Amino acid sequence: MTNIGGVQHTWNPRRMSRIRDELIGGYEQILATLPDLDGPGVGQIELMVTAARSALRESPPTWLTDAAVDAFGRTLTTPAAATDLVGAGPSGFLVFESPVTMTTLGDAGPTGVAPLDAVLWWSASFDGHDLHHDAEHADLVVVHGLSTYVTNDAPWPASVWSESTLTDIGMFPLPLLGEVTPPHPTDDDLAPAIVVLLALGAAVRADRVLFSAAGSSAVEPAAPRAVDVVL
């Protein structure tokens, strides 16, 4: 289902449960390939992939329209508290109506530039050597970029995503200490995603966001939802 370059896949909020299930299946296929890999970093890869899968299972898929993304960009006050990055929860999964940015993360697609169609995140601690999936003592958040394109940098075959609309093209850690001002988009193509995460977290903490049910799975613990109003 994934693209290696071309017309973006069309979706809507009613498909978010399926998109989430497809991603979980992709992560499970990655975990199945890890016994064939060698190197000191395999344990950390397993931790990150397992944490990403857990974030999908535990977090409501949240649909953001273009209007909601624009509203969050207007409401963000900087410098912002770094902990606002997890203000919407220690883990989460956002799906954008349109790509929030074009990014070189993961050297994806035929030209190395890919649409960032969604993000997921989980809280972690770093002991100076290794990452730990740790919401209680978190000092950083690990954000995974998700795209309809496939990364060229992964040590596993692209076929792990053959049944998934989205793929994981890479991750980037962000600190949760002190204050943060997002970089300018000309300096960092991930800046628009960082702005959304900060603004969403701040708005959730201040009760300035109204959500509505999205799709047909409203009874499940992590039921899909959409940002309805940003106050």
Side-chain angles (χ1 to χ4, degrees):
M1 291 185 182
T2 53
N3 291 324
I4 58 169
V7 178
Q8 180 190 327
H9 191 85
T10 301
W11 57 56
N12 58 62
R14 293 183 297 277
R15 296 193 65 239
M16 286 197 296
S17 286
R18 177 177 174 182
I19 289 171
R20 175 179 56 188
D21 291 345
E22 292 170 351
L23 278 166
I24 289 172
Y27 286 126
E28 289 176 343
Q29 289 202 53
I30 290 174
L31 291 171
T33 71
L34 294 185
D36 299 326
L37 300 179
D38 292 319
V42 174
Q44 285 288 279
I45 292 174
E46 181 177 9
L47 179 141
M48 289 186 283
V49 172
T50 301
R53 182 183 61 178
S54 295
L56 287 170
R57 287 175 170 171
E58 298 166 2
S59 309
T62 302
W63 175 262
L64 268 67
T65 63
D66 295 340
V69 170
D70 290 343
F72 283 131
R74 292 193 303 270
T75 62
L76 180 64
T77 301
T78 57
T83 51
D84 284 344
L85 290 163
V86 290
S91 64
F93 176 36
L94 302 181
V95 181
F96 304 112
E97 180 182 15
S98 301
V100 72
T101 187
M102 298 295 292
T103 181
T104 56
L105 179 69
D107 185 31
T111 65
V113 180
L116 193 66
D117 298 291
V119 294
L120 69 85
W121 72 89
W122 48 275
S123 300
S125 61
F126 182 63
D127 64 9
H129 185 262
D130 291 324
L131 278 176
H132 303 275
H133 187 194
D134 184 358
E136 185 175 353
H137 304 100
D139 53 22
L140 57 86
V141 60
V142 179
V143 184
H144 292 248
L146 306 175
S147 179
T148 49
Y149 287 18
V150 178
T151 178
N152 297 310
D153 286 346
W156 44 80
S159 60
V160 300
W161 302 113
S162 62
E163 298 299 321
S164 183
T165 304
L166 293 176
T167 80
D168 189 322
I169 58 172
M171 50 74 67
F172 53 100
L174 298 170
L176 293 176
L177 303 175
E179 294 183 327
V180 61
T181 297
H184 193 277
T186 58
D187 298 322
D188 186 341
D189 58 31
L190 294 169
I194 297 171
V195 167
V196 170
L197 289 173
L198 282 168
L200 172 64
V204 168
R205 282 180 160 174
D207 291 326
R208 292 189 289 104
V209 182
L210 299 178
F211 297 97
S212 61
S216 58
S217 302
V219 298
E220 61 185 68
R225 63 184 183 177
V227 170
D228 217 15
V229 178
V230 181
L231 302 174

